[in-house]
Amino acid sequence: MLLGPFFLIMGIIFVGGLIQALVQSLGYLPAFGMDSVSLEYYRRVLTDFRFISSLRHTFYIALTSSALSVALGVFVAFLVHKTKRSNKFSFTLLRVPIVIPHIVVIIMIFHIFFQTGILSRFAFAIGLIESAHDFPLLIFDRGGVGVIIVYLYKQIPFVMLMVISISRNIDSKYFQVAENLGASPFQIMTRITLPLLAPTILSAFLFCFAFGFGAFEVPFLLGSPARQTLPILAFIEYTSPVLDDRPAAMAINVIISVISLIMIWVYAKVLSILTKRGMEGAIV
Amino acid sequence: MTSMHVENVNKSFGNNHVLKNISLSVQSGEFVSVLGPSGCGKTTLLKLIAGLEMQDSGHVYIGGACCDNVPARKRGAVIVFQDFALFPHMTVKQNIDFGLAVKKISRSERERKIMAMLDVMQISDKAEFYPRALSGGQKQRVALARACVLEPRVLLLDEPFSNLDPGLRDDMREFVSKLQRELGITTILVTHDKEEAFMLSGRVAVIIDGCLQQYDTPENIYKKPHTVLVSDFIGEANYISGMISNYHFSCALGDFDAAELVDGEAKLMLRYDQLIISNSKGMPCRIISKVYKGNVTTYRVEIEKSETLGLPEALTLKINSSDSSFEPGHKAFIRVADRAGHVLR
């Protein structure tokens, strides 16, 4: 009941925005003299090569960055957990990237990884490359390496923090029992720790994926002009001087929302299965 | 079957000296209880034996071999914890299988052992259940099965009955006792419940404040405690002051054998149920109070001071009796039960 006003505001923003986008995606923009309703813009978007390519690229960026973030975040969490002596210092240090704004990270990554950046200059100085052009293209590249590096920089500490805080809530007796029953440290990690952390890891993956899928500024500033993610494609369509492109932009936004909702549904399903299997102790 | 021995073991956590020079031997196939109040260090002793904690000094021997440097996973001393600690993400069968699987035993062998253990524990119908769907007694059987299926050299039980309802607790005690006899596993039970320790084990080690106070049969622990500390922990008792002379103890209630003690002041310990109250036989006394407890009535009686009995002051005693007919203010007689009474310093 106390949360009512919060849900009301959130609902108005989300549902209101979604309805507006849905209505416009069907071609209904009376202000621009467009008052007929059809699925024409969806047909146009879904058969457009740029959209298919962009969808594929967006999935690639989101999946790669979230999978790597989760894998490396869990790994770093285990390392932090092991090195108890330096725990406090390393813990603080590893939290720093979370509070740095994305735009600052973008500038940092640009200056380090661009062909005229710090790494390139260093490689040139020690004779590894003869000119800036010999340095691999990591920014504005078609593979989205620069974009993924930014996501990793921000998301690995996030995953690590999630995993550490939740793993502290897991009863340490499970680990003692496992050791007492003959399990090696590796067997304890694979058979006890990781399964108990599965819901947390799943949540962390979903957060990272959702961000990677819907983020605008990082691929806009560091991505390849030839490979655009869906939010950038939607932005280009929306800002197009051709008014007819506006419903197409909204159709792309609706498709992004639908994919996000499907992800939430899959997440809820998997979480429900994990809960039935007794893993609710580690769910966030 | 394997013997177990700890020798001069010490363990501290910071400034807290938890275990002080503990030495304890358990024979092959024996069921021993470690009895003591909460926080006395008994669970720490169990973890030292299992290898989950490392002693500061002293040695642990299992099967005659020192295993100070043997990691917990290779000791073969398996603990059943107080809260069972079943893995929540595994079914009953997977929980029991865990120890076998990590030892890389063949699937068919594992299957055979699991089925046999499910049968012994009478939980075959729960094999595919997750722990959350089990009752306390069933969880305990799974925890026991998970430990016993490994055929441990030493089975360590850490207050395994304390989380169970009273009725179920008695059933499980009987079940564990029978199981231990059948499997013949050397077993050490840690408990703060004296009744449980006496009921299940052949010998009881009483640990108080980190020191092993007495290691003896349940009967001797109850009737012949070495110290007042042990006597008080085990149960309520009357203490009557007197003197030992030529291996005989004399007090207002008579003379008692004190063969193992040197001359000097001492105390006679009499449990409340080692005194008999009647209308005719023994020393005259007056009933001061009466507390009816159902199967037993506790009386507080007073023997008047008497120069001839060597009582400079009135002596107050407590007696448990099945006869509830005596009333406060009335006269009665008390006497010491045959062969009762234990002299201690």
Side-chain angles (χ1 to χ4, degrees), chain B residues 35 74 108 245 258 277 305 309:
Chain B
L35 178 65
K74 292 183 178 170
S108 58
S245 174
I277 187 165
K305 65 179 182 179
L309 286 174

Tab-separated table of all heavy atoms in Angstrom, chain B residues 35 74 108 245 258 277 305 309:
chain	number	residue	atom	x	y	z
B	35	LEU	N	30.091	-34.564	26.703
B	35	LEU	CA	28.998	-33.846	27.360
B	35	LEU	C	29.524	-32.570	28.007
B	35	LEU	O	30.560	-32.586	28.667
B	35	LEU	CB	28.395	-34.782	28.429
B	35	LEU	CG	27.266	-34.256	29.296
B	35	LEU	CD1	26.015	-33.965	28.489
B	35	LEU	CD2	26.940	-35.276	30.399
B	74	LYS	N	40.311	-35.990	3.657
B	74	LYS	CA	40.930	-37.319	3.578
B	74	LYS	C	40.988	-38.042	4.917
B	74	LYS	O	41.558	-39.117	5.011
B	74	LYS	CB	42.355	-37.175	3.004
B	74	LYS	CG	42.360	-36.754	1.547
B	74	LYS	CD	43.753	-36.685	0.992
B	74	LYS	CE	43.712	-36.310	-0.494
B	74	LYS	NZ	45.048	-36.011	-1.015
B	108	SER	N	27.513	-47.287	-10.859
B	108	SER	CA	26.745	-48.463	-10.424
B	108	SER	C	26.980	-48.741	-8.933
B	108	SER	O	26.041	-49.075	-8.196
B	108	SER	CB	27.132	-49.676	-11.263
B	108	SER	OG	28.517	-49.917	-11.136
B	245	SER	N	38.955	-39.946	57.761
B	245	SER	CA	39.996	-40.443	58.646
B	245	SER	C	40.175	-41.930	58.366
B	245	SER	O	39.186	-42.702	58.382
B	245	SER	CB	39.575	-40.221	60.112
B	245	SER	OG	40.518	-40.825	60.966
B	258	ALA	N	35.727	-44.084	51.902
B	258	ALA	CA	36.456	-43.032	51.163
B	258	ALA	C	37.844	-43.576	50.836
B	258	ALA	O	38.864	-42.949	51.146
B	258	ALA	CB	36.518	-41.755	51.974
B	277	ILE	N	12.622	-41.074	52.132
B	277	ILE	CA	11.788	-40.465	53.171
B	277	ILE	C	10.695	-41.461	53.568
B	277	ILE	O	10.129	-42.148	52.699
B	277	ILE	CB	11.202	-39.110	52.692
B	277	ILE	CG1	10.487	-38.400	53.835
B	277	ILE	CG2	10.277	-39.277	51.496
B	277	ILE	CD1	10.209	-36.929	53.538
B	305	LYS	N	19.600	-29.276	64.714
B	305	LYS	CA	20.981	-29.371	65.180
B	305	LYS	C	21.053	-30.319	66.376
B	305	LYS	O	20.126	-30.409	67.176
B	305	LYS	CB	21.521	-27.983	65.533
B	305	LYS	CG	20.860	-27.293	66.688
B	305	LYS	CD	21.537	-25.955	66.920
B	305	LYS	CE	20.891	-25.273	68.125
B	305	LYS	NZ	21.505	-23.992	68.420
B	309	LEU	N	24.846	-35.916	67.162
B	309	LEU	CA	25.022	-36.280	65.742
B	309	LEU	C	26.161	-35.498	65.092
B	309	LEU	O	26.487	-35.716	63.925
B	309	LEU	CB	23.728	-36.000	64.958
B	309	LEU	CG	22.566	-36.956	65.187
B	309	LEU	CD1	21.338	-36.448	64.462
B	309	LEU	CD2	22.923	-38.356	64.728
